[in-house]
Amino acid sequence: MQHDDIQHDDVQFHNVRALQRVRPHEGLRLLRVPEAVRSGLNTGAQTRMSHPAGTEIRLVPDETVRITLSSEERDSLVRPFWGDFQATGEEFTLGPEPKTVELSPPESLSDLDPAATGEMRYAPEVCRLVFPGDHRGGHIYYHGVEGARRPPTADEVPSLRYLAYGTSITEGEDPSAEMLTYVNQTARRLGADPINLGSCGTAYCDPAMAEHIAARDDWDVATLSLSVNMVGRFSPDEFRERAADMVETVAAANPTKPVACITLFPHVREYKRDHEEATLSETFRQHLRDVVDECGYDNVHLVEGPDLLPTASGMTTDLVHPGDDAMIRIGERLARELESLMDD
């Protein structure tokens, strides 16, 4: 499989499909989809694809390297990892002024027993700068890097790739850190590299996004969480038509890859007594069930959102977005579902 992460300056940009010059800003902005795709999305989704949910800069330093980054729109807390090891205490915050940080291989990770790292997804030599998604950070700009380094090799990162499209719940609205999104939690349990195409408030099954996912050759299993963003904005029939088009576009182009459609997660419409839209969520769920039943592709499967999140425990107080605990439980259950599909 071809992994289409961008490599530039001997650095790998994971879950990044374009490095964009935006005048008058210095540096290159990280985009999760190519500009030609982004410009074909609804206006809100165009903005969301400029936010770095699930994106990382990855490199293998020979010695200390110095990398310069900045963040527009809002400050961004960046969490370094070395392989699967979290570099606690080495986090740094980016703002609009370019900041240069030094990254050195930790002496503590030298001469590790292979038995201790055999089940890890990433080699400990790989420095991963994990950027905050959704509203935890802003647009990330790359300005340059100094020092001897190389991009990771294929055997230093997971060969399995998991792609997720969906709403703010997919993009990662409310967990306290990027590694706690259900996408990352699922990927960790699968031993996979995650590709996060969550689109906060704007997951409208746009044809441009469907065609983009269909054309990619860098994923093995995908989930389409469709889509609480469309409740109240689109009629149930409009939702069904757009969801069917997306599912069929993705599945037809990738007939050997499992595509799991996730119905709406439980949320405020069902949690509140006598909510005026209490039955609408189930209507949308039923339409997605019908789309899966009628699509005619054996690689399309249904996963029920209420099965992944059977109680309100761990939700945030807006009763829409899962917090840390709920995200972890979704990841645990979803990984089991996807494992069974990949084993078929």
Side-chain angles (χ1 to χ4, degrees):
M1 173 182 295
Q2 178 180 350
H3 287 191
D4 290 334
D5 291 333
I6 287 177
Q7 294 197 14
H8 174 73
D9 282 352
D10 291 325
V11 170
Q12 184 182 85
F13 293 80
H14 173 69
N15 199 32
V16 175
R17 298 305 291 267
L19 296 172
Q20 183 185 53
R21 183 77 63 183
V22 183
R23 301 295 184 187
H25 298 291
E26 298 179 8
L28 299 170
R29 182 169 66 168
L30 279 57
L31 299 181
R32 287 187 284 152
V33 296
E35 178 59 24
V37 175
R38 192 178 76 94
S39 62
L41 302 174
N42 68 77
T43 302
Q46 292 181 32
T47 299
R48 297 317 312 167
M49 291 302 116
S50 303
H51 282 263
T55 67
E56 301 181 9
I57 285 179
R58 298 174 178 174
L59 66 159
V60 180
D62 289 342
E63 54 192 28
T64 298
V65 299
R66 292 164 52 86
I67 189 166
T68 303
L69 305 163
S70 64
S71 175
E72 294 286 346
E73 305 295 328
R74 59 176 60 86
D75 289 351
S76 296
L77 179 67
V78 182
R79 299 179 188 274
F81 282 71
W82 293 87
D84 284 328
F85 294 101
Q86 185 173 343
T88 302
E90 297 182 16
E91 301 88 352
F92 56 92
T93 300
L94 299 175
E97 292 298 319
K99 173 180 283 190
T100 299
V101 296
E102 292 189 349
L103 303 166
S104 301
E107 178 63 29
S108 60
L109 299 184
S110 63
D111 198 29
L112 290 173
D113 187 334
T117 60
E119 297 299 319
M120 291 187 176
R121 291 182 294 163
Y122 305 96
E125 294 79 15
V126 178
C127 180
R128 302 165 50 218
L129 299 182
V130 178
F131 298 115
D134 207 81
H135 299 298
R136 291 188 301 280
H139 299 179
I140 299 296
Y141 285 79
Y142 167 79
H143 297 264
V145 63
E146 299 174 344
R149 76 273 173 193
R150 62 172 175 81
T153 59
D155 62 349
E156 292 174 322
V157 298
S159 59
L160 185 71
R161 307 263 283 197
Y162 159 49
L163 183 148
Y165 171 73
T167 67
S168 57
I169 299 172
T170 301
E171 188 175 345
E173 168 81 17
D174 274 332
S176 55
E178 192 66 25
M179 55 278 196
L180 293 172
T181 67
Y182 85 76
V183 176
N184 276 313
Q185 289 291 309
T186 301
R188 186 176 73 79
R189 287 162 175 79
L190 294 176
D193 227 356
I195 301 168
N196 191 322
L197 293 179
S199 190
C200 173
T202 56
Y204 297 163
C205 301
D206 289 332
M209 181 60 79
E211 292 162 6
H212 170 67
I213 296 171
R216 294 182 69 137
D217 187 34
D218 63 343
W219 57 271
D220 300 279
V221 59
T223 56
L224 308 175
S225 183
L226 308 178
S227 163
V228 72
N229 295 157
M230 300 179 73
V231 179
R233 293 183 177 91
F234 295 81
S235 72
D237 288 343
E238 289 172 325
F239 163 71
R240 177 171 176 158
E241 180 179 357
R242 291 175 73 94
D245 287 345
M246 171 170 261
V247 171
E248 291 179 11
T249 298
V250 173
N254 298 274
T256 64
K257 300 177 181 179
V259 177
C261 300
I262 303 175
T263 63
L264 270 62
F265 294 106
H267 59 283
V268 64
R269 290 180 177 88
E270 295 139 292
Y271 291 149
K272 298 285 283 187
R273 287 180 293 183
D274 301 322
H275 194 286
E276 61 184 7
E277 294 181 334
T279 63
L280 197 53
S281 294
E282 186 56 28
T283 299
F284 274 67
R285 289 190 189 104
Q286 187 57 51
H287 275 311
L288 188 57
R289 294 178 192 122
D290 293 341
V291 165
V292 172
D293 286 343
E294 297 169 10
C295 75
Y297 293 99
D298 292 338
N299 59 323
V300 176
H301 309 272
L302 186 77
V303 175
E304 293 284 0
D307 290 344
L308 300 178
L309 191 62
T311 76
S313 176
M315 294 290 286
T316 58
T317 53
D318 68 4
L319 300 181
V320 175
H321 297 98
D324 293 350
D325 183 61
M327 283 285 192
I328 292 169
R329 289 187 287 113
I330 292 172
E332 290 171 343
R333 292 182 171 94
L334 181 55
R336 289 195 292 267
E337 294 278 356
L338 298 183
E339 282 176 340
S340 68
L341 299 181
M342 291 187 290
D343 289 341
D344 287 347

